[in-house]
Amino acid sequence: MRLYVNIDHVATVRQARLTDEPDPVRAAVLAELGGADGITVHLREDRRHIQDRDLQLLMETARTGVNLEVASEDEVVGIACDLRPMQVTLVPERREEVTTEGGLNLEAEGPRRSVTRALQRLQDAGIRVSLFVDPTEEGVHRSAELGAEAVELHTGEYANAVGAEVRGAQLTRLLTAARQGEEAGLAVHAGHGLTYENVTPVAALPIIEELNIGHSIVSRAVLVGIEAAVREMRRIMADASRRVADPGRWLPPIGF
Ligand code: PXP
């Protein structure tokens, strides 16, 4: 099973200050060194985290595959067609949402028409397309009907389920949808809300080829990295107080 690491929230921290750190592209390099099979980014229409430049640089530097998540909108689909990542995952997007809340609605005619058009443009550009859907028979069958190469099953309801029974029922839902996807000839991926605590039962489902995990990995990285980061700052401060007998020499000249 492949692990695609979603680095959006590295950019979320950077955008909180509109500065240049932490750099999601550097995070991608480190994620690859840690064993990621690929890197996922979501270029949202409101550009709340990943920026166009990040995506451009990621395409130039990633040694693994890039999975680009976009809405079925002309502007972002056009960017995907120009950059030609290894895979595009079409996702629903609402400006007011905190994160992608549900799978694509492939039942209503309007949204289905937008997805069909986006899928066609992407496939014409030679890009493999995955559709992010709820783990339902309709979601999987519509995806196969539309000609997608893969489906990504939304694991959010599984992740939010409280209690062994409810969680077990959500896992069964995922397994059933995964089987239907396999029977329909689709590659089956899964993701959203997966954490170090809840990933094991999903990672044990053999039909699923790929997991997309972001928030939990970025959260863990902050915690496992903070001790080293503080030590490094302490060391710089200690070196400075030892070396600089005359702090005045670090001040800029008058008129600078
Ligand atoms: N898959 C899709 C389609 C997503 O939109 C997201 C969130 O951007 C993820 C997976 C990753 O979810 P999380 O950050 O909760 O791991």
Side-chain angles (χ1 to χ4, degrees), residues 25-212:
V25 180
R26 285 193 190 195
V29 172
L30 296 173
E32 288 178 335
L33 286 173
D37 298 297
I39 303 297
T40 297
V41 287
H42 184 172
L43 188 69
R44 293 188 76 103
E45 287 183 276
D46 63 10
R47 307 299 199 268
R48 68 172 72 160
H49 39 53
I50 293 296
Q51 307 296 306
D52 298 54
R53 177 177 178 275
D54 298 326
L55 178 59
Q56 186 86 45
L57 290 175
L58 183 65
M59 289 298 302
E60 286 166 22
T61 53
R63 307 293 296 265
T64 58
V66 173
N67 171 39
L68 173 62
E69 294 175 2
V70 287
S72 302
E73 299 293 337
D74 285 346
E75 191 235 356
V76 282
V77 169
I79 292 173
C81 289
D82 289 345
L83 293 178
R84 308 216 304 148
M86 192 217 71
Q87 176 173 282
V88 166
T89 301
L90 291 175
V91 298
E93 205 175 292
R94 289 191 306 119
R95 275 179 187 252
E96 63 274 24
E97 70 191 359
V98 171
T99 180
T100 318
E101 281 168 357
L104 292 165
N105 177 0
L106 300 176
E107 293 306 304
E109 205 187 318
R112 190 170 65 237
R113 206 176 312 119
S114 309
V115 171
T116 307
R117 200 176 54 229
L119 180 79
Q120 199 63 59
R121 274 183 79 190
L122 292 162
Q123 287 180 333
D124 286 349
I127 302 167
R128 169 190 164 93
V129 180
S130 175
L131 302 183
F132 186 50
V133 295
D134 291 324
T136 62
E137 188 170 0
E138 304 80 64
V140 169
H141 283 156
R142 285 281 187 198
S143 302
E145 220 172 73
L146 293 179
E149 278 85 7
V151 274
E152 180 176 338
L153 301 177
H154 194 319
T155 50
E157 285 194 50
Y158 160 78
N160 291 334
V162 178
E165 204 175 315
V166 186
R167 184 159 282 190
Q170 288 297 337
L171 195 62
T172 306
R173 239 182 125 209
L174 285 169
L175 177 59
T176 307
R179 286 196 176 126
Q180 287 161 347
E182 187 185 42
E183 278 161 20
L186 293 162
V188 181
H189 310 159
H192 209 285
L194 295 176
T195 67
Y196 293 81
E197 284 73 36
N198 69 22
V199 72
T200 303
V202 179
L205 300 178
I207 299 167
I208 297 178
E209 294 179 15
E210 178 183 308
L211 294 184
N212 273 285

Side-chain angles (χ1 to χ4, degrees), residues 217-230:
I217 292 178
V218 174
S219 305
R220 180 62 56 107
V222 171
L223 289 193
V224 300
I226 200 154
E227 191 177 330
V230 172

